[in-house]
Amino acid sequence: QVQLVESGGGLVQAGGSLRVSCTASGSIFSINNMGWYRQAPGKQRELVATITSGGSTNSADSVKGRFTISRDNAKNTVYLQMNSLKPEDTAVYYCKAVLKQSGSSYLSNYWGKGTQVTVSS
């Protein structure tokens, strides 16, 4: 009933930029936090950046100054602008939303299926 769909991943050279997007759809009453996580081969999934409905952000030290998270509440969409990309940023990037479905009193976590970002050296 709720779907998160990421887009915008791809292959880029080191030093380049990419923007990934994630849109939530379905029977949504409200969305609290949205965020981006990533998982590189052989590694655990890690937080990249999060943003509250009011626009407060948090990001991992490894991406501070290079990545910017933003959201459009009217479109239920979160963005991640990635600049100065490094080979170590290569991973599958997952979108997460903490939201209430219509008719529910509970907050639940929803994840997208991920989008591949590959940075070549």
Side-chain angles (χ1 to χ4, degrees), residues 54-112:
S56 296
T57 63
N58 179 48
S59 60
D61 288 343
S62 59
V63 306
K64 276 187 168 71
R66 300 189 298 122
F67 292 9
T68 302
I69 189 170
S70 61
R71 66 189 278 179
D72 184 332
N73 291 333
K75 296 181 179 179
N76 289 343
T77 298
V78 62
Y79 307 95
L80 185 68
Q81 177 67 44
M82 301 181 286
N83 299 328
S84 302
L85 282 159
K86 304 175 181 179
E88 50 264 44
D89 295 318
T90 295
V92 178
Y93 283 70
Y94 296 91
C95 171
K96 176 185 171 183
V98 182
L99 60 86
K100 282 184 186 177
Q101 281 193 258
S102 300
S104 173
S105 301
Y106 303 101
L107 288 170
S108 298
N109 294 330
Y110 288 86
W111 291 88

Side-chain angles (χ1 to χ4, degrees), residues 30-43:
S30 64
I31 302 178
N32 285 26
N33 289 4
M34 300 186 82
W36 289 96
Y37 294 72
R38 67 186 181 186
Q39 188 166 18
K43 294 189 176 181

Side-chain angles (χ1 to χ4, degrees), residues 4-26:
L4 271 63
V5 179
E6 300 102 335
S7 61
L11 173 65
V12 65
Q13 287 188 331
S17 298
L18 274 178
R19 189 176 84 153
V20 290
S21 305
C22 170
T23 298
S25 63

Side-chain angles (χ1 to χ4, degrees), residues 34-52:
M34 300 186 82
W36 289 96
Y37 294 72
R38 67 186 181 186
Q39 188 166 18
K43 294 189 176 181
Q44 289 189 329
R45 191 173 297 189
E46 63 176 3
L47 179 146
V48 176
T50 61
I51 184 167
T52 68

